[in-house]
Amino acid sequence: MPAANQVKSRTIAIGDIHGHIKALVGLIDLINPNPEDTIVFLGDYINRGPDSKGVLQFIIDLKQRCNVVCIMGNHEEMMINAYSDPSTMGWFLENGGHETLQSYGLAKNLSLVPQAHKDFLVGLPLYHETDQHFFIHANYDYNVDLLDMDSSTALWRSLDDRPRKHISKKTAILGHTPQMKGEILDLEHLVCIDTGCGFGGKLTALEVISRRVTGKCWQV
């Protein structure tokens, strides 16, 4: 039998942060993760808010405290594209990139972004999968295997186009489409926890328990 003082592990998803470091720090303080917990970040760590640099460094450092899984968001893709194709820099800047670069000390200059942050961005996967759930930034095609999911759907398609239950029968945990009333969107087969932090709303974390049951919700 497990020891009486053994701490139960939790899987907790966190929605779109968009450079709001104070909200992220406050949320992690509320969650108070232990080393057995897994925090799954749903992408869009950067752009719009005042301290994208601080957000990325905080998430990287959080890996010393608990298990951390990070997936790609469309804003990370925009920043990666700006590295490889300067012609896309304007698109990045128009969508909050000005604030991101300013957090590194000099607007419109990617050279001040440390290599560790660039490596973090480039290494982000499109999704994370567990026995009963999959975590993906924006949306999915219900009849396409996750391995074959295209990035435009995974990163960009809003929930104005609401998919059916995925063929894997797993529950999808999503961000990207802001729920500006501050309440998560729970359709049982998919749950969206972007509650508009990038637009003056709330940052949300949700404990994921089973396909149909969600646990505690934290918001700042």
Side-chain angles (χ1 to χ4, degrees):
M1 292 186 63
N5 62 350
Q6 181 174 340
V7 178
K8 179 183 177 182
S9 64
R10 301 172 294 174
T11 298
I12 298 166
I14 294 181
D16 305 35
I17 303 162
H18 282 299
H20 288 280
I21 184 63
K22 290 183 179 179
L24 176 58
V25 172
L27 197 61
I28 294 298
D29 285 346
L30 290 175
I31 295 168
N32 190 25
N34 66 71
E36 302 304 317
D37 289 335
T38 298
I39 306 292
V40 182
F41 290 95
L42 296 178
D44 281 6
Y45 315 107
I46 63 171
N47 291 359
R48 299 200 176 105
D51 195 0
S52 292
K53 175 184 177 182
V55 167
L56 293 184
Q57 191 59 53
F58 185 87
I59 292 173
I60 291 169
D61 293 342
L62 188 62
K63 295 179 180 182
Q64 304 300 316
R65 181 175 175 182
C66 62
N67 302 308
V68 173
V69 175
C70 299
I71 63 174
M72 179 82 74
N74 59 307
H75 285 264
E76 286 73 53
E77 183 183 62
M78 282 190 280
M79 187 168 178
I80 292 168
N81 289 343
Y83 272 108
S84 59
D85 182 0
S87 70
T88 67
M89 176 63 81
W91 178 239
F92 168 63
L93 295 175
E94 289 172 12
N95 285 276
H98 279 292
E99 292 85 352
T100 293
L101 294 185
Q102 286 169 354
S103 74
Y104 287 95
L106 184 63
K108 300 183 180 180
N109 192 337
L110 286 169
S111 68
L112 292 183
V113 178
Q115 187 64 40
H117 290 196
K118 183 179 179 181
D119 291 344
F120 171 87
L121 296 170
V122 172
L124 294 171
L126 279 182
Y127 69 91
H128 173 66
E129 189 174 12
T130 63
D131 289 341
Q132 299 187 71
H133 302 85
F134 66 93
F135 304 80
I136 197 164
H137 178 64
N139 209 328
Y140 61 90
D141 290 312
Y142 78 92
N143 59 350
V144 175
D145 288 337
L146 292 173
L147 279 172
D148 299 321
M149 200 71 62
D150 66 275
S151 61
S152 63
T153 297
L155 300 179
W156 289 93
R157 186 189 296 174
S158 80
L159 287 177
D160 291 339
D161 179 8
R162 294 185 181 179
R164 294 162 54 182
K165 190 176 185 69
H166 191 254
I167 55 173
S168 67
K169 306 301 182 184
K170 297 180 179 184
T171 298
I173 311 296
L174 313 170
H176 185 65
T177 304
Q179 309 299 306
M180 292 308 299
K181 292 184 179 180
E183 299 177 357
I184 65 172
L185 174 67
D186 188 349
L187 303 180
E188 292 192 350
H189 70 287
L190 72 83
V191 181
C192 177
I193 64 169
D194 179 359
T195 47
C197 185
F199 300 95
K202 299 176 181 178
L203 181 61
T204 294
L206 181 69
E207 183 180 7
V208 175
I209 297 177
S210 69
R211 286 190 182 92
R212 290 183 174 270
V213 179
T214 55
K216 187 172 181 179
C217 178
W218 300 262
Q219 291 186 316
V220 294

